[in-house]
Amino acid sequence: MQEPKILMKPDDQLELSVEELKEEFTRILTANNPHAPNNVVRYSFKERCYKMKMGVDQLAVHFSMVGNMLHKESDEGRRQLARLGLVEQGEQMVETHLHLI
């Protein structure tokens, strides 16, 4: 049997009134990269002058992983499962060894 959870309140926790608890705060998430420059200037060898680039790339990559994905029902997917001896085992084991969809 599990022990009941005991909620512990820190000594320095704020005491809020009912009105303060019901107050809503709105936050807006944007896709703009705050570290991207506002404008970019490049030298054009064709026109022999500096040109301002209008569009600034806002892409920020947070995670990247190199690999291959195979459908487990495809011919190649079945061959890889058979080679690893995972044909008879459950999907949980298959997904941990291969990146199959």
Side-chain angles (χ1 to χ4, degrees):
M1 185 170 201
Q2 287 184 334
E3 294 181 24
K5 292 183 181 180
I6 300 171
L7 299 176
M8 298 187 71
K9 186 171 100 173
D11 296 331
D12 59 346
Q13 183 173 343
L14 292 175
E15 295 290 332
L16 299 176
S17 66
V18 176
E19 292 83 25
E20 289 173 326
L21 289 172
K22 290 183 178 180
E23 186 177 353
E24 291 185 18
F25 294 94
T26 303
R27 292 190 179 184
I28 299 173
L29 299 176
T30 62
N32 294 336
N33 182 359
H35 302 293
N38 293 333
N39 54 12
V40 177
V41 177
R42 306 238 187 235
Y43 185 77
S44 171
F45 289 97
K46 180 180 178 182
E47 299 176 19
R48 295 184 181 183
C49 66
Y50 288 97
K51 292 284 193 174
M52 186 187 287
K53 184 179 175 186
M54 290 297 155
V56 176
D57 190 18
Q58 298 290 329
L59 177 68
V61 178
H62 297 287
F63 177 77
S64 178
M65 183 173 148
V66 178
N68 296 327
M69 291 180 65
L70 296 171
H71 197 282
K72 56 187 167 189
E73 298 299 324
S74 69
D75 293 335
E76 183 64 26
R78 283 191 215 114
R79 278 195 296 269
Q80 284 192 18
L81 290 173
R83 186 172 350 123
L84 293 173
L86 300 174
V87 175
E88 299 298 324
Q89 297 178 9
E91 280 187 28
Q92 185 82 10
M93 188 71 166
V94 170
E95 291 174 359
T96 58
H97 287 288
L98 299 174
H99 297 288
L100 299 175
I101 55 172

